Amino acid sequence: MKIDIITVVPEILNGPFSHSIMKRAQTKGLLEVNVINLREYTTYARAQVDDYPFGGGAGMVMMIEPLVNTVESLQKTTHYDEVIFLTPDGETFNQKMANHLSLKNNLLMICGHYKGIDQRFRDHFVTKEISIGDYVLSGGELAAAVLTDSIGRLIPGVLNDETSALSDSFQDDLLAPPVYTRPETFRNWKVPEVLMSGNHKNIDQWRVEQSLERTRLRRPDLLKD
Ligand code: 6GU
């Protein structure tokens, strides 16, 4: 899978994909992430990419022309399955969307900044608008990193048995159960006995019960259907 990300602050995206599972996904050739600097595609003086809103009001608006130049240039060599605009007024991202997007070949993400982007770009180029939650970020970069990480780790072959996505919270609409490792006793705090029993039927049952209990207490909304 290829994920191309258009941004005016490419520096923010240098770190998130250079380590751990995202790094391995790229090394294995299963994921390619390209960060594209919008300013390199503008034909305006001083690499301008934003301007005052028509009708007045606070904040700047990202201009349509640099965005279209960038997208159309990329589209010469890549067919995108989705053109995703990261914006707080988009559909709230969840695991189901991550699963769905992990099956695509090519994704283009556009990070918003300032007061937003010219609506005509959204109308004519964007196929999906996604938010990562009900709070406001300074720009879409961190949201693009969140999507790329959650989608990238689901690509077949990225995770091994040890890091399997099957036991993740949300994968079956349940939160993950508690986990423990050595030592068996720390400051007189003991690991639940069942985990030390070697009885895998009991262990599996305990984990399901814990998942259900945790979900009931913390996220009862997940159990409604
Ligand atoms: Cl995608 N962008 C911004 N700027 N803020 C957000 C967001 C996205 N998702 C939640 N808050």
Side-chain angles (χ1 to χ4, degrees):
M1 171 189 287
K2 183 167 78 158
I3 299 180
D4 290 343
I5 306 173
I6 300 173
T7 169
V8 285
V9 203
E11 296 81 6
I12 299 178
L13 293 166
N14 285 343
F17 315 123
S18 307
H19 308 278
S20 183
I21 290 170
M22 287 301 102
K23 182 181 178 182
R24 203 174 64 221
Q26 292 170 90
T27 308
K28 281 184 168 179
L30 299 168
L31 174 66
E32 178 186 338
V33 181
N34 301 302
V35 178
I36 294 121
N37 187 348
L38 181 66
R39 288 187 206 281
E40 286 176 14
Y41 289 83
T42 179
T43 53
Y44 293 90
R46 291 177 298 280
Q48 185 184 356
V49 293
D50 60 333
D51 210 337
Y52 295 99
F54 281 132
M60 304 292 272
V61 176
M62 286 169 76
M63 292 186 286
I64 186 169
E65 198 178 329
L67 287 164
V68 169
N69 286 347
T70 312
V71 172
E72 286 186 340
S73 165
L74 295 169
Q75 280 174 333
K76 280 182 196 151
T77 51
T78 306
H79 168 80
Y80 293 104
D81 300 292
E82 299 285 358
V83 177
I84 300 167
F85 176 46
L86 284 315
T87 175
D89 58 4
E91 183 185 355
T92 309
F93 191 60
N94 59 28
Q95 191 63 36
K96 192 173 159 213
M97 289 156 80
N99 289 339
H100 178 75
L101 291 171
S102 73
L103 303 174
K104 307 290 185 186
N105 288 319
N106 298 307
L107 299 175
L108 180 59
M109 299 187 190
I110 293 137
C111 305
H113 249 267
Y114 317 110
K115 268 291 162 198
I117 66 178
D118 192 300
Q119 181 61 37
R120 290 167 293 185
F121 181 79
R122 296 169 74 159
D123 293 342
H124 297 287
F125 285 87
V126 171
T127 62
K128 236 182 214 323
E129 302 196 327
I130 296 178
S131 159
I132 61 165
D134 292 342
Y135 41 81
V136 178
L137 302 168
S138 316
E141 285 75 14
L142 295 178
V146 166
L147 259 69
T148 301
D149 187 300
S150 66
I151 292 165
R153 63 195 292 285
L154 295 172
I155 298 167
V158 170
L159 298 184
N160 49 37
D161 272 357
E162 249 110 87
T163 51
S164 168
L166 292 175
S167 55
D168 286 344
S169 281
F170 299 111
Q171 202 51 265
D172 45 14
D173 275 340
L174 290 177
L175 302 186
V179 294
Y180 299 86
T181 188
R182 293 192 305 156
E184 198 177 328
T185 303
F186 179 78
R187 295 190 182 165
N188 213 29
W189 302 323
K190 290 185 172 45
V191 170
E193 232 165 78
V194 61
L195 297 179
M196 314 306 295
S197 70
N199 184 328
H200 285 281
K201 193 165 155 262
N202 287 355
I203 292 170
D204 289 347
Q205 193 189 331
W206 179 85
R207 285 182 170 151
V208 170
E209 285 164 9
Q210 291 289 317
S211 275
L212 280 166
E213 186 58 15
R214 207 168 245 202
T215 309
R216 241 194 310 273
L217 285 170
R218 297 180 180 189
R219 293 295 306 276
D221 55 299
L222 294 176
L223 293 172
K224 281 197 182 107
D225 45 49

